[in-house]
Amino acid sequence: MISPMIWQGNKLKILDQRNIPLSMDYIFCTTCREVEEHIYNLAIRGAPAIGAAAAFGMVLGARELRDFSGNKFETLFRKKALAMLKARPTAVNLSWAVSRMLKEFESLKEKNTGDIIKGLEEEALTIYHEDIEINKKIGQFGASLVSKGAFILTHCNAGALATAGYGTALGIVRKAVEQEKEIHVYVDETRPVLQGARLTAWELEQEEIPYTLITDNMAGMLMQKGNIDLVVVGADRIALNGDTANKIGTYSLAVLAKYHGVPFYVAAPFSTFDLNIKTGEEIPIEERDCREVTHIFNQRISPDGCHVFNPSFDVTPAGLISAIITEKGVIENPRENNISTFFNKMKS
Ligand code: MRU
């Protein structure tokens, strides 16, 4: 199975996604800071993958502190956690994973440093393995919404590379293929960083899943011609009212889908919900380097000195989303009431 990271006990091996499909290079991280840097520079990206990598980064951070104990260990460990949180602001899975590691630390902190490190490593591995299982469940629920012969449009990469493995939106595609649904995937190239053209197309190519690559401005025409049966995307953060942040361009697709009566689905694990924020207006939107827009593969494509706006994500209002597909089931018409009812039902 394609996996963007492999834990090797004393280091994290990361598949460098910046160069796929041109080359398959691995990066070996031995410090918490290195993991942070590679989350920031997109060597590893995608909300659940960022969360799992951050958890392993925290284990590396704890290992760096192996000569300390007690308060000193705790102060330095928490400092590393704070730095990790700043790597990328929009995907809530990052703070979710860091909080989970800190909670685990709280339960271990009376033990000796060796046992604390061991306990943290077990927790990071649990986060990693759980994510793969969660994605398979999302795939199962999502595939039930896909009819035989469907043409599915996706944006960015919400595949194995964006998770611990299997993928959320592409997990649904994988499951539908396993069920012999004879689907076809339209892949938005996803400017500026081209996660669709480089990563989603690569994943589908690896598994011989039929697909067609399009530039982002072609989706409207395909919908107008009746060539898209459904849209499925991943998510970086979902507010209590269902507003969803995902890769820039997702909102435009959702508007197009609404206009053309095409179902628009979001596939995401529970860890992507941020029930502390009421609406999408509160979601922090990362703005990235203007070079991502002015250059492609280090080649300048626009005049030197031109002014650039480069938000990495946008927020799709809940009213444009037909359903959110989670590992516990499908939330139809995801509005505040339906989301709260769903979460309460899952708790009981
Ligand atoms: O900037 P990226 O590549 O990290 O953005 C990724 C996305 O927007 C994905 O759609 C999202 O994280 C969901 S991944 C399962």
Side-chain angles (χ1 to χ4, degrees), residues 42 44-48 50 88 91 155-159 162-163 167-169 195 199 233-236 245-248 267 286 288 312-313:
L42 306 184
I44 186 153
R45 34 63 52 200
I50 291 172
R88 291 194 77 190
H155 189 67
C156 194
N157 172 264
T163 60
T168 55
Q195 289 95 331
L199 309 176
V233 295
D236 285 83
N246 190 50
K247 179 53 55 195
I248 190 74
E286 176 182 11
R288 293 187 62 88
S312 198
F313 302 94

Side-chain angles (χ1 to χ4, degrees), residues 16-87:
D16 189 347
Q17 298 189 31
R18 293 168 299 178
N19 300 329
I20 296 176
L22 302 183
S23 62
M24 304 293 285
D25 304 320
Y26 284 92
I27 299 166
F28 293 86
C29 299
T30 53
T31 66
C32 186
R33 181 103 186 91
E34 284 169 337
V35 176
E36 247 173 79
E37 276 169 14
H38 291 304
I39 289 175
Y40 176 73
N41 69 24
L42 306 184
I44 186 153
R45 34 63 52 200
I50 291 172
F56 288 124
M58 299 290 296
V59 180
L60 293 174
R63 287 175 58 87
E64 288 169 72
L65 302 174
R66 58 184 163 268
D67 294 335
F68 297 99
S69 58
N71 285 344
K72 184 76 185 167
F73 180 96
E74 176 161 3
T75 308
L76 294 173
F77 185 66
R78 287 188 184 279
K79 214 166 147 192
K80 286 181 188 294
L82 275 180
M84 180 62 83
L85 286 175
K86 295 197 180 119

